[in-house]
Amino acid sequence: MSSSTLTAPASPKSLEVNYKRAPKDASVALLGVLEKFSVAEQVTVRRNARQLPKMLVAVWREMYKCLDFEEFQKQLLGDALKQFVRKMRRHFFSVRFNCDQLQEQLSLLERSGIQELPGVHECVVKWDSSKSDCFAKWPLHSLPKLLPHLHRLELHMPLQWGFFEQFGRLKWLALHEDVSAEALAAIWLGCGRLKCLQIMGRGTTDLSGISKSAKLQELTLPVAAIKEDAASEIFQLPHLKFLELLQQDATAETTLQVISLVLSRRTMDIKTLRINGSRLGPVDWLRGLELQRCPRLDGLMLIDCQFAGMDVTSLGSWPRLCYAAFCHCSDLTDKQVKDFVHGSPLLTQLYLIGCTQLTTKVLFDLFNMRCIQRLGTPTLGLYLQEGELLHEEFKLNFTKQTTLELLDTPLDDSHMPNVQFIFLEAESESAQ
């Protein structure tokens, strides 16, 4: 028998696949992230791998609208921060720098190839007051080129020179520390679009030239900055609608003199007055302000005032008052509230917040009084803090009547520490 010509089949060889290995550091970091996903989530990531870069940027745009260098430098190290900032440079809406690290932070942007942040409209430069107030000028002078579309700027360090005028679109400026006359002059002459200015430093504030900022609508100043000559310039501003006075270290006498000065200069167009009386002593000063001389005053807020048994009827009547708020007036009594409302026939909103001496009797007094006055008298809306005794009493006994009603809208500024004026309109040039 002839031997078979067939050869034995070759033994099968194992299949080998060569994978390209990712860099070790990147691979370890990525594995650490992926291991936290469930299998189903890992499959989803794998299936949509090509879309992942765009999806990540979309997530970043939604979550990180502010470029806060202090926070991101803690979370992202080395190239990771550069890559993140480079991808997001067009999408940041605001940015936060640190004054003592500003040079380093600007250099990081430059090394990342970023010449400007075109989407940024708001910028804050923080400052550690425990460190030196000596810092280089050039980093601040670099900001206008980096932020060409900036609208809001907030600076927390003292300033001896101007650079704000280089922001062509600046509308809102807050200065938290002392500002030199040179820096202020740069604002008056160069910030032609400025609508809101807050000067909060405790040093001397030279307001000479402020009348040149003709578009200013909102102004915050220390009480100490308001002198006769400064007031004359301030009230030449044709569009001024809001003035806030920071009491800071001013004496009660100085603060009341400045309030009286504003009242005398803008008697005819004061719409709302808000006063924190914690530094002013017993509220007898309210009588001295003669608010009844303001014929268009329709809103009054008194915060942390000491009523000390004052006869409220001695203040006279409030014929145009529509809105009033008593906040944290710890000795305000039921009778004082009743007398105040009795002298305010057009009052439609009354806020009683943190006035701990008030009892449920005040609700019955107001109800009975308004029922007697009912003909032509509007419904009185009351804001009473939820959970407090007055609020519970109202829900128990006053929900089925229409003489009084419960207001739902709270006050955002019931702890406001300053003095605020809201004006209807600027006085005419002929009255200046």
Side-chain angles (χ1 to χ4, degrees), residues 306-324:
Q306 304 172 35
F307 279 83
M310 177 188 188
D311 180 5
V312 172
T313 61
S314 66
L315 296 174
S317 61
W318 308 84
R320 294 182 59 88
L321 208 63
C322 299
Y323 152 84

Side-chain angles (χ1 to χ4, degrees), residues 305-377:
C305 291
Q306 304 172 35
F307 279 83
M310 177 188 188
D311 180 5
V312 172
T313 61
S314 66
L315 296 174
S317 61
W318 308 84
R320 294 182 59 88
L321 208 63
C322 299
Y323 152 84
F326 296 93
C327 305
H328 315 293
C329 300
S330 59
D331 63 350
L332 182 69
T333 66
D334 296 343
K335 185 178 187 306
Q336 288 169 329
V337 172
K338 178 185 175 183
D339 289 343
F340 182 87
V341 175
H342 185 269
S344 310
L346 297 184
L347 197 68
T348 57
Q349 297 180 56
L350 177 62
Y351 286 73
L352 300 172
I353 300 173
C355 299
T356 54
Q357 291 298 313
L358 297 181
T359 71
T360 56
K361 182 178 181 296
V362 73
L363 298 179
F364 292 93
D365 288 344
L366 294 178
F367 174 76
N368 292 331
M369 181 177 62
R370 278 296 172 102
C371 282
I372 295 172
Q373 300 174 337
R374 186 60 177 162
L375 185 62
T377 304

Side-chain angles (χ1 to χ4, degrees), residues 13 25 85 140 160 164 190 213 222 234 256 288 318 405 421:
K13 294 183 178 180
D25 292 344
V85 173
L140 289 175
Q160 299 299 320
F164 333 95
S213 295
I234 289 170
L256 292 170
W318 308 84
E405 66 179 5
F421 297 86

Side-chain angles (χ1 to χ4, degrees), residues 138-335:
W138 77 260
L140 289 175
H141 283 276
S142 299
L143 292 180
K145 183 179 179 181
L146 177 69
L147 309 172
H149 301 120
L150 194 72
H151 290 171
R152 296 170 63 96
L153 178 61
E154 185 173 351
L155 302 173
H156 288 258
M157 64 288 194
L159 289 166
Q160 299 299 320
W161 59 84
F163 70 99
F164 333 95
E165 69 280 5
Q166 299 175 48
F167 292 103
R169 303 188 182 190
L170 196 63
K171 296 181 180 179
W172 188 95
L173 177 60
L175 305 171
H176 287 261
E177 295 293 335
D178 295 346
V179 187
S180 70
E182 177 186 343
L184 290 172
I187 298 174
W188 316 146
L189 297 175
C191 299
R193 296 189 179 187
L194 199 63
K195 292 184 177 182
C196 177
L197 175 62
Q198 298 178 358
I199 300 177
M200 293 171 276
R202 295 177 180 270
T204 303
T205 303
D206 183 0
L207 297 179
S208 302
I210 191 174
S211 59
K212 297 174 183 176
S213 295
K215 292 189 177 181
L216 271 179
Q217 297 180 8
E218 300 181 14
L219 184 60
T220 297
L221 295 168
V223 164
I226 310 293
K227 304 290 192 297
E228 283 282 352
D229 54 347
S232 297
E233 285 217 47
I234 289 170
F235 296 124
Q236 290 177 41
L237 297 169
H239 303 293
L240 188 65
K241 297 178 181 178
F242 174 85
L243 175 63
E244 181 174 30
L245 305 178
L246 308 180
Q247 298 187 56
Q248 295 178 336
D249 300 324
T251 64
E253 181 182 4
T254 300
T255 299
L256 292 170
Q257 287 175 351
V258 172
I259 294 175
S260 295
L261 178 60
V262 176
L263 289 170
S264 65
R265 294 297 183 93
R266 298 296 292 268
T267 305
M268 300 304 296
D269 61 350
I270 294 177
K271 176 179 173 61
T272 303
L273 176 59
R274 302 167 180 158
I275 301 177
N276 185 303
S278 60
R279 297 170 175 265
L280 302 180
V283 81
D284 289 338
W285 49 261
L286 190 59
R287 189 183 297 112
L289 293 180
E290 300 178 346
L291 295 181
Q292 279 71 19
R293 60 179 158 163
C294 302
R296 304 173 79 177
L297 180 71
D298 67 5
L300 178 65
M301 177 188 290
L302 299 175
I303 302 170
D304 204 358
C305 291
Q306 304 172 35
F307 279 83
M310 177 188 188
D311 180 5
V312 172
T313 61
S314 66
L315 296 174
S317 61
W318 308 84
R320 294 182 59 88
L321 208 63
C322 299
Y323 152 84
F326 296 93
C327 305
H328 315 293
C329 300
S330 59
D331 63 350
L332 182 69
T333 66
D334 296 343
K335 185 178 187 306

Side-chain angles (χ1 to χ4, degrees), residues 67-89 92 95-98 101-117 138-139 142-143 146:
L67 173 55
D68 188 330
F69 272 94
E70 184 174 5
E71 290 300 317
F72 284 126
Q73 284 177 317
K74 294 176 183 177
Q75 300 179 44
L76 300 172
L77 303 177
D79 289 341
L81 179 56
K82 292 181 185 178
Q83 292 174 15
F84 175 75
V85 173
R86 194 179 298 122
K87 286 290 184 182
M88 285 288 291
R89 74 177 191 88
F92 289 120
V95 61
R96 296 174 69 90
F97 295 105
N98 295 77
Q101 300 173 14
L102 183 57
Q103 182 173 342
E104 173 190 340
Q105 291 166 348
L106 292 176
S107 296
L108 187 149
L109 291 175
E110 185 177 1
R111 293 194 304 272
S112 302
I114 295 175
Q115 301 301 316
E116 67 176 44
L117 297 171
W138 77 260
S142 299
L143 292 180
L146 177 69

